[in-house]
Amino acid sequence: MTADDSFGRLDDDDYPAYTMGRAAEMLNTTQGFLRAIGEARLITPLRSPGGHRRYSRYQLRIAARARELVDGGTPIEAACRIVILEDQLEEAQRINAGHRQGLRPASTPPAA
């Protein structure tokens, strides 16, 4: 991979660009919190060749949502389950919207 390829990946939401320390700093949380949501299988960070956890921007958004819930008093296991269900619901809604668009006759303008 060339330097140009690496820089191009930084716009990729799934590219594991952030170390655990940097991710914790960005989320204003602890590395222990990131480990805990990993153990709860909310996110699974990729590992560097040296075995260090690396997080993507997508994973950081999920972790941030879990942190909001935990800060509001929700137990971490419940927060992780809520975030998983929210993510599944969003995906189902996206798929349903795609199906609705595919079923609409070509001559019918989309609803506002």
Side-chain angles (χ1 to χ4, degrees), residues 12-91:
D12 181 353
D13 268 358
D14 295 318
Y15 182 67
Y18 303 97
T19 64
M20 176 180 267
R22 181 67 180 131
E25 181 181 308
M26 290 170 68
L27 296 172
N28 196 27
T29 192
T30 65
Q31 292 181 15
F33 175 79
L34 292 174
R35 282 188 207 94
I37 62 175
E39 289 170 9
R41 295 195 171 120
L42 177 60
I43 58 175
T44 304
L46 293 176
R47 298 284 182 149
S48 70
H52 300 282
R53 290 174 179 89
R54 301 287 180 174
Y55 297 88
S56 69
R57 289 190 312 206
Y58 174 74
Q59 290 173 323
L60 293 183
R61 283 195 300 274
I62 289 176
R65 176 64 181 132
R67 183 165 185 269
E68 285 176 18
L69 292 167
V70 169
D71 287 351
T74 304
I76 196 161
E77 297 83 12
C80 290
R81 184 68 181 136
I82 289 167
V83 173
I84 289 168
L85 290 170
E86 287 174 343
D87 196 48
Q88 290 173 344
L89 176 61
E90 184 179 314
E91 176 69 7

